[in-house]
């Protein structure tokens, strides 16, 4: 098996690899809008921003002298990374933030918005309530702006950790899905990403060209989504939708819709009642749903509940849903992976709450059993399913190294990849020089897409990596086409879909130049 580009790490017996070939990407920047209560929080978000500017910052208040100084330093550092801030934070009027935000959105026309956690009200004191109210106002304003313009605005709600060492940090409340593009039964690929109040969809045409983004409206949709395929190849979209009156006493339901044909309107949205149906206010704090199909076609859905335990329900092949049940045995974070094991049954993996390690739920018989033995210490935000049955990918908590863990293994296996961010996505069964291979896609620390490959089931035999200059504002995905080739997709500079296709008649693993889709 040969590759025309890349470097192979961890292979002690292979031939000398050829030099790495850089795949060029678009150079255009993306406009970013940061909306926070004060400049101190804006400084945290700005320091963590890997993209390229320009940046506009809006705050509810001027903040303290120390917060303003922190922001000035963060803005200077960001400008050095090619992320210039267009001036000091502007102050939002507190009396009607949605109208004020809507005016700013029209003026700035951002591609991305960073704001606070809509669930921050769980914290004691006025700060949490202020952050939550501001985040809800941002989501409402972005939803209205998208309805006006038809432009998706990727919105990231950040959870602030003021106790992080050595400096305050943040994480996404609703991380982007790791697998957000699928190949339909007709051989065409569709991509789906959540935005406030809608799902943005791109569709590959029969001629290889793409259409989109289209906004599949879902009023109240939070920027959280799970994308999976049923046994017939239909696409199932599952996310969280705000419901209830407009006076602030909102709740969250698990919404789901089925896409039957590529590019066609999806079916109607349905809602699973919140597992906290008798306590609506607790229902706001459920986690992002994850789901997978048994070999017999039964769909299993899981959410982390308000008490940090797990609730599960299932839909039989005849369409009948069960009620929510409780999976006992451990408290977990809102980071879970559902997958089909080697026995054809769905299993669930989740990070322990507040301590290292992973918990696994499986069904040796008709009931769920808990397994606390997996020796997996995953860095927060890195857990994902691998194509191999019962295998997980993640970044090691102590070093950030990209790893793979097959069920039953004592410890992880290094994928010898680049320093990465977020989660790695992959597709198995890709034809490369007559071999069946797995192709990986991940965002590196510079915010670019990196592509790796290894023989199916043999990451221990060495992984080849290709560096690219393509910006990755969303986690890149690798999708296997029906002809055995692979395409890699991400959201690039200018918040546009970027696609790289495998060259079909070349030696090894080669890609055509990135296709940058205009909005």
């Amino acid at each position: 098996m040969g590759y025309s580009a890349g470097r192979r790490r961890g292979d002690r017996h292979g031939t000398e690899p050829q030099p790495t070939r850089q795949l060029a990407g678009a150079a255009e920047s993306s406009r970013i809008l940061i909306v926070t209560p004060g400049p101190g929080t804006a400084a945290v978000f700005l320091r963590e921003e890997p993209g390229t500017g320009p940046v506009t910052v809006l705050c509810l208040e001027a903040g303290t002298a120390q917060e303003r100084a922190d922001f000035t330093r963060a803005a200077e550092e960001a400008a050095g990374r090619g992320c210039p801030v267009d001036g000091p934070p502007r102050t939002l009027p507190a009396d009607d933030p949605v109208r004020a935000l809507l005016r700013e959105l029209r003026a700035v026309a951002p591609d991305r918005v960073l704001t606070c956690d809509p669930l921050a009200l769980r914290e004691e004191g006025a700060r949490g309530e202020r952050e939550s109210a501001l985040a809800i106002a941002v989501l409402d304003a972005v939803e209205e702006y998208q309805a006006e313009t038809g432009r998706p605005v990727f919105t990231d709600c950040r959870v602030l950790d003021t106790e992080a060492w050595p400096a305050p940090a943040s994480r996404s409340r609703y991380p982007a899905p790791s697998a957000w593009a699928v190949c339909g039964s007709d051989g065409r690929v569709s991509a789906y990403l959540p935005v406030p109040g809608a799902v943005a969809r791109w569709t590959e045409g029969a001629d290889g060209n793409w259409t989109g983004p289209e906004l599949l409206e879902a009023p109240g949709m939070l920027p959280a989504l799970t994308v999976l395929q049923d046994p017939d190849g239909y696409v199932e979209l599952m996310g969280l939708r705000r419901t209830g009156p407009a006076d602030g006493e909102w709740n969250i339901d698990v919404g789901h819709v089925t896409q039957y044909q590529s590019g066609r309107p999806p079916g109607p949205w349905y809602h699973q009642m919140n597992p906290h149906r008798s306590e609506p206010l607790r229902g706001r704090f459920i986690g992002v749903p994850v789901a997978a199909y048994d070999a017999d076609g039964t769909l299993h859905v899981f959410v982390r509940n308000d008490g940090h335990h797990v609730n599960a329900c299932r839909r039989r092949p005849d369409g009948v849903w069960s009620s929510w049940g409780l999976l006992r045995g451990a408290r977990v974070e809102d980071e879970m992976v559902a997958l089909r094991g080697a026995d054809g049954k769905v299993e669930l993996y989740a990070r322990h709450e507040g301590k290292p390690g992973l918990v696994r739920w499986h069904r040796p018989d008709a009931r769920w059993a808990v397994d606390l033995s997996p020796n997996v210490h995953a860095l927060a935000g890195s857990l994902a399913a691998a194509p191999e049955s019962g295998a997980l990918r993640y970044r090691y908590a102590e070093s950030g190294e990209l790893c793979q863990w097959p069920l039953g293994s004592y410890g992880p296996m290094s994928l010898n990849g680049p320093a990465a961010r977020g989660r790695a996505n992959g597709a198995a069964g890709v034809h490369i020089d007559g071999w069946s291979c797995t192709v990986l896609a991940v965002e590196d620390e510079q915010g670019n897409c990196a592509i790796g490959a290894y023989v199916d089931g043999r990451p221990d035999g060495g992984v080849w990596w290709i560096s690219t200059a393509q910006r990755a504002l969303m986690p890149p995905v690798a999708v296997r086409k029906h002809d055995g080739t692979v395409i890699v997709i991400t959201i690039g500079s200018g918040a546009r879909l970027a696609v790289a296709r495998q060259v079909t008649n070349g030696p090894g693993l080669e890609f055509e130049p990135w296709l940058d889709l205009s909005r």
Side-chain angles (χ1 to χ4, degrees):
M1 172 180 159
Y3 293 82
S4 63
R7 60 190 182 278
R8 189 175 189 175
R9 302 177 180 179
D11 182 2
R12 301 177 180 176
H13 307 292
T15 58
E16 185 70 20
Q18 297 184 28
T20 299
R21 178 168 66 88
Q22 298 286 335
L23 297 179
E28 183 183 344
S29 62
S30 300
R31 180 166 285 279
I32 303 163
L33 178 63
I34 297 177
V35 186
T36 61
T41 302
V44 175
F45 293 176
L46 195 55
R47 287 193 180 98
E48 297 172 338
E49 176 53 45
T52 54
V55 179
T56 298
V57 179
L58 306 174
C59 294
L60 287 177
E61 55 193 32
T64 65
Q66 181 62 52
E67 289 174 332
R68 292 194 295 273
D70 288 346
F71 177 83
T72 299
R73 287 192 294 270
E76 291 172 352
E77 295 168 2
R81 302 193 305 270
C83 198
V85 182
D86 62 3
R90 297 205 296 272
T91 303
L92 276 171
D95 56 340
D96 192 358
V98 174
R99 294 302 100 193
L101 285 165
L102 192 56
R103 290 192 295 270
E104 294 286 352
L105 288 166
R106 292 165 180 158
V108 175
D111 301 305
R112 299 172 57 229
V113 172
L114 310 181
T115 191
C116 304
D117 177 15
L119 305 184
L121 55 82
R122 171 56 62 87
E123 301 177 14
E124 296 182 2
R127 182 176 72 86
E129 294 182 2
R130 186 170 67 249
E131 289 186 6
S132 177
L134 179 60
I136 294 299
V138 170
L139 294 173
D140 287 341
V142 170
E143 184 171 341
E144 187 169 343
Y145 174 75
Q146 290 175 152
E148 285 183 3
T149 64
R151 297 179 66 249
V153 179
F154 301 107
T155 304
D156 191 1
C157 299
R158 310 292 300 179
V159 180
L160 184 65
D161 181 2
T162 58
E163 304 300 322
W165 187 90
S170 71
R171 60 177 175 84
S172 181
R173 167 64 71 181
Y174 306 114
S178 61
W180 48 272
V182 296
C183 187
S185 56
D186 60 358
R188 294 190 289 159
V189 176
S190 298
Y192 306 85
L193 281 171
V195 292
V199 175
R201 181 183 70 183
W202 296 259
T203 306
E204 182 186 29
D207 58 358
N209 293 321
W210 288 74
T211 59
E214 302 171 86
L215 291 178
L216 308 179
E217 291 186 3
M221 183 87 174
L222 294 168
L225 190 70
T226 293
V227 182
L228 67 157
Q229 280 183 291
D230 73 8
D232 296 317
Y234 301 141
V235 178
E236 188 100 15
L237 306 178
M238 194 167 296
L240 300 176
R241 293 182 68 178
R242 283 191 295 138
T243 60
D247 61 1
E249 295 301 322
W250 50 275
N251 194 5
I252 288 180
D253 283 339
V254 177
H256 55 94
V257 66
T258 303
Q259 173 79 60
Y260 293 101
Q261 291 180 283
S262 301
R264 300 290 296 170
W269 282 90
Y270 295 97
H271 292 89
Q272 282 299 103
M273 293 185 65
N274 194 297
H276 296 296
R277 62 179 64 87
S278 61
E279 301 174 273
L281 293 182
R282 291 185 63 195
R284 298 184 187 184
F285 300 95
I286 64 171
V288 179
V290 298
Y293 282 92
D294 277 338
D296 66 2
T298 300
L299 174 66
H300 295 266
V301 181
F302 309 90
V303 295
R304 190 224 62 203
N305 63 30
D306 174 65
H308 285 246
H309 295 287
V310 177
N311 284 106
C313 67
R314 67 184 183 278
R315 184 183 66 197
R316 299 187 324 217
D318 61 6
V320 176
W321 285 89
S322 73
S323 58
W324 289 101
L326 181 65
L327 303 189
R328 302 181 183 275
R331 291 168 58 91
V332 299
E333 301 286 358
D334 187 17
E335 185 172 356
M336 306 190 299
V337 170
L339 52 81
R340 187 190 300 176
D343 61 358
K345 297 179 181 179
V346 168
E347 300 182 354
L348 179 71
Y349 295 83
R351 287 198 307 114
H352 278 290
E353 181 191 28
K355 63 180 181 180
L358 212 65
V359 57
R360 166 183 175 241
W361 279 275
H362 62 118
R363 287 174 296 147
D365 48 40
R367 295 174 296 180
W368 290 98
V370 65
D371 174 12
L372 303 178
S373 67
N375 186 25
V376 175
H377 291 193
L379 190 66
S382 69
L383 195 63
E388 294 86 352
S389 294
L392 299 172
R393 288 200 198 95
Y394 62 97
R395 289 184 292 129
Y396 184 56
E398 298 300 322
S399 65
E401 183 177 9
L402 190 60
C403 298
Q404 184 155 310
W405 178 82
L407 176 61
S409 297
Y410 173 73
M413 179 186 308
S414 175
L415 296 176
N416 298 292
R421 302 165 58 92
R423 294 171 286 186
N425 177 267
V430 177
H431 300 164
I432 304 176
D433 278 352
W435 294 77
S436 180
C437 299
T438 296
V439 174
L440 305 176
V442 70
E443 178 190 357
D444 67 21
E445 280 194 332
Q446 288 70 47
N448 297 326
C449 177
I451 303 171
Y454 60 87
V455 176
D456 278 345
R458 290 300 310 274
D460 57 332
V463 184
W464 287 78
W465 287 94
I466 300 172
S467 300
T468 86
Q470 173 60 53
R471 299 298 294 174
L473 301 184
M474 292 289 171
V477 291
V479 182
R480 180 189 180 275
K481 302 268 289 183
H482 288 179
D483 62 2
T485 61
V486 69
I487 64 173
V488 178
I489 307 174
T490 189
I491 298 294
S493 300
R496 296 194 295 263
L497 197 74
V499 179
R501 301 179 186 277
Q502 182 184 357
V503 175
T504 57
N505 56 357
L509 179 61
E510 285 195 28
F511 288 88
E512 298 174 0
W514 287 93
L515 173 65
D516 184 19
L517 297 174
S518 297
R519 293 172 57 152

